[in-house]
């Protein structure tokens, strides 16, 4: 006579709740883990397109801006160039919120709450452009690598956040590598080195600040940027008469003027594509793309300037890039492990 008994619940069994009569020996049937759905070819192509667009726009922004600042008149109006980039970014983000794109939903934040964020935003962009104007492309890009060590240092000083010994070794390697490359620049372009240092320090402060504000405002990065870019333009207007010299555009070469237009287009494309890549890929993919862009900018910059690296400088570049690469991967790994707990 068949008996009905309730089997103990075992995680993973298809039937582990309702009893059923059985006179035969039954083997447990385990659920098969759901395999992740294959990404359609169309989606892969779209992701590749935005990665290529982001890479191209980053290179275009750096090299076109360098060309713009090669003109003495435009070099003396840094604020207005930044205002143009902010304006172009605002237009691109606004258009992307409308049909048929609808990349994200626009939200309106209190302008008064946005003022401190806009001040940080404007400051780090202006200092970054000054660094590009007074330094070689190679040194400008390599100095930006120091942003990560600065963020780690500020996190330790302000919030007592520690890193592992392996992360610390990677950070020290980055610092030593950059120091190997600045000797020549420091002797000939002391002002450029000072500006580059202020640029990566202000960038680190902005990164710390913006992370907190995104949480406080409960918005996404593009939503925040759409609010802060136009306010930043208004915030910079009072500084133009004191810090800029209005150029006589009739005497500026036509190719330079087209470079100004192109740099604004590249700035807006860079900002928009960056958000789309983050949304469509993992943090690891975005991190790899960032390192590839750094290597491309350094290589093309040195090639265009005809620079031949000394053994000491080559060692410094390898240490700086290698240290930054190792630290970023260790940080991502630690973040993934923390999210599983």
């Amino acid at each position: 006579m068949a008996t009905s008994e309730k089997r103990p619940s075992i995680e993973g069994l298809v039937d582990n709740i309702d009893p059923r009569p059985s006179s035969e020996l039954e083997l447990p049937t385990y659920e098969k883990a759901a395999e992740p759905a294959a990404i359609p070819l169309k989606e892969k192509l779209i992701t590749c397109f935005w990665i290529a667009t982001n890479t191209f726009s980053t290179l275009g922004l750096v090299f076109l801006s360098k060309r713009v600042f090669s003109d003495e008149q435009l070099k003396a109006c840094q604020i207005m160039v930044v205002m143009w980039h902010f304006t172009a970014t605002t237009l691109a983000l606004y258009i992307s919120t409308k049909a048929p794109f609808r990349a994200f939903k626009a939200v309106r934040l209190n302008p008064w709450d946005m003022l401190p964020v806009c001040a940080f935003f404007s400051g780090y962009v202006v200092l970054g452009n000054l660094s590009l104007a007074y330094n070689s492309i190679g040194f400008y890009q390599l100095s930006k690598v120091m942003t990560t060590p600065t963020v780690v240092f500020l996190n330790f000083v302000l919030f007592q956040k520690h890193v592992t010994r392996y992360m610390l070794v990677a950070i020290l390697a980055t610092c030593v590598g950059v120091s190997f490359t600045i000797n020549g620049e420091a002797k000939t372009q002391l002002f450029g080195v000072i500006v580059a240092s202020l640029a990566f320090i202000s960038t680190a402060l902005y990164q710390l600040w913006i992370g907190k504000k995104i949480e406080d405002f409960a918005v996404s990065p593009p939503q925040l940027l759409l609010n802060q870019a136009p306010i930043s333009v208004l915030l910079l207007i009072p500084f133009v008469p004191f810090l800029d010299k209005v150029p006589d555009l009739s005497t500026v070469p036509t190719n330079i003027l087209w470079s100004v237009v192109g740099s604004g287009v590249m700035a807006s494309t860079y900002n928009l594509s960056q958000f789309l890549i983050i949304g469509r890929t993992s943090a690891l993919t975005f991190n790899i793309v960032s390192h590839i862009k750094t290597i491309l900018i350094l290589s093309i910059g040195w090639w265009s300037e005809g620079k031949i690296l000394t053994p000491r400088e080559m060692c410094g570049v390898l240490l700086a890039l290698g240290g930054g690469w190792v630290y970023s991967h260790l940080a991502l790994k630690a973040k993934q492990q923390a999210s599983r707990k």
Side-chain angles (χ1 to χ4, degrees):
M1 179 178 176
T3 59
S4 174
E5 61 177 12
K6 185 172 181 178
R7 290 169 293 167
S9 175
I10 302 175
E11 185 178 0
L13 294 183
V14 174
D15 178 21
N16 59 8
I17 299 178
D18 297 327
R20 65 181 181 186
S22 175
S23 58
E24 298 179 357
L25 178 64
E26 294 185 357
L27 297 176
T29 303
Y30 292 91
E31 291 181 345
K32 293 183 179 180
E35 295 182 359
I39 301 176
L41 178 60
K42 180 181 177 181
E43 291 297 315
K44 291 181 180 179
L45 292 175
I46 293 175
T47 300
C48 290
F49 169 78
W50 284 117
I51 289 175
T53 300
N54 181 262
T55 302
F56 175 76
S57 61
T58 303
L59 294 171
L61 178 59
V62 171
F63 288 96
L64 284 175
S65 295
K66 185 65 176 178
R67 189 177 186 185
V68 168
F69 297 138
S70 67
D71 183 88
E72 290 301 321
Q73 291 193 81
L74 296 180
K75 189 176 183 178
C77 58
Q78 298 276 338
I79 304 295
M80 284 187 282
V81 172
V82 172
M83 289 170 60
W84 157 236
H85 289 175
F86 287 170
T87 302
T89 297
T90 302
L91 291 173
L93 290 173
Y94 178 75
I95 292 173
S96 69
T97 64
K98 301 300 181 181
F101 307 105
R102 301 195 185 280
F104 63 95
K105 183 180 179 181
V107 297
R108 180 174 295 180
L109 300 175
N110 188 332
W112 295 108
D113 293 337
M114 292 295 299
L115 286 179
V117 180
C118 294
F120 269 95
F121 181 53
S122 302
Y124 103 83
V125 174
V126 170
L127 286 170
N129 276 358
L130 279 172
S131 176
L132 184 58
Y134 288 94
N135 291 304
S136 65
I137 291 177
F139 181 74
Y140 156 80
Q141 188 64 30
L142 199 59
S143 66
K144 290 176 65 176
V145 177
M146 285 297 295
T147 301
T148 299
T150 307
V151 169
V152 172
F153 175 74
L154 291 174
N155 266 324
F156 174 74
V157 173
L158 300 176
F159 308 110
Q160 298 300 306
K161 291 185 178 180
H162 298 268
V163 295
T164 67
R165 68 182 67 179
Y166 298 109
M167 289 181 181
L168 184 59
V169 170
I171 290 296
L172 291 176
T174 300
C175 297
V176 171
V178 173
S179 70
F180 280 0
T181 65
I182 69 171
N183 289 337
E185 296 277 351
K187 293 176 182 177
T188 58
Q189 294 288 344
L190 180 59
F191 178 73
V193 174
I194 294 174
V195 171
S197 301
L198 292 175
F200 68 70
I201 291 172
S202 63
T203 302
L205 288 169
Y206 175 74
Q207 288 183 2
L208 292 176
W209 179 265
I210 204 67
K212 182 178 184 302
K213 286 303 173 183
I214 287 175
E215 293 181 1
D216 291 346
F217 296 143
V219 294
S220 65
Q223 289 173 327
L224 183 63
L225 184 58
L226 182 56
N227 280 270
Q228 71 185 34
I231 297 175
S232 297
V233 174
L234 299 176
L235 199 63
L236 289 173
I237 291 176
F239 295 94
V240 171
F242 303 98
L243 300 177
D244 278 8
K245 294 181 181 179
V246 179
D248 181 3
L249 297 181
S250 63
T251 62
V252 177
T254 304
N255 61 338
I256 299 294
L257 291 177
W258 279 114
S259 295
V260 174
V261 175
S263 66
V265 174
M266 291 299 170
S268 59
T269 305
Y270 163 76
N271 285 313
L272 180 59
S273 61
Q274 178 173 253
F275 296 133
L276 290 173
I277 290 175
I278 294 174
R280 300 180 68 90
T281 66
S282 65
L284 179 60
T285 300
F286 183 75
N287 189 262
I288 292 173
V289 171
S290 298
H291 284 295
I292 291 174
K293 290 190 296 185
T294 298
I295 294 171
L296 285 174
I297 292 172
L298 286 173
S299 302
I300 298 174
W302 285 326
W303 173 79
S304 64
E305 296 164 0
K307 181 178 177 62
I308 300 176
L309 298 181
T310 64
R312 178 187 176 90
E313 289 174 330
M314 181 61 72
C315 180
V317 170
L318 293 175
L319 277 174
L321 295 182
W325 180 284
V326 171
Y327 172 81
S328 60
H329 281 270
L330 290 175
L332 284 173
K333 186 177 179 180
K335 185 177 180 180
Q336 291 170 351
Q337 290 175 345
S339 64
R340 295 193 188 109
K341 296 180 180 179

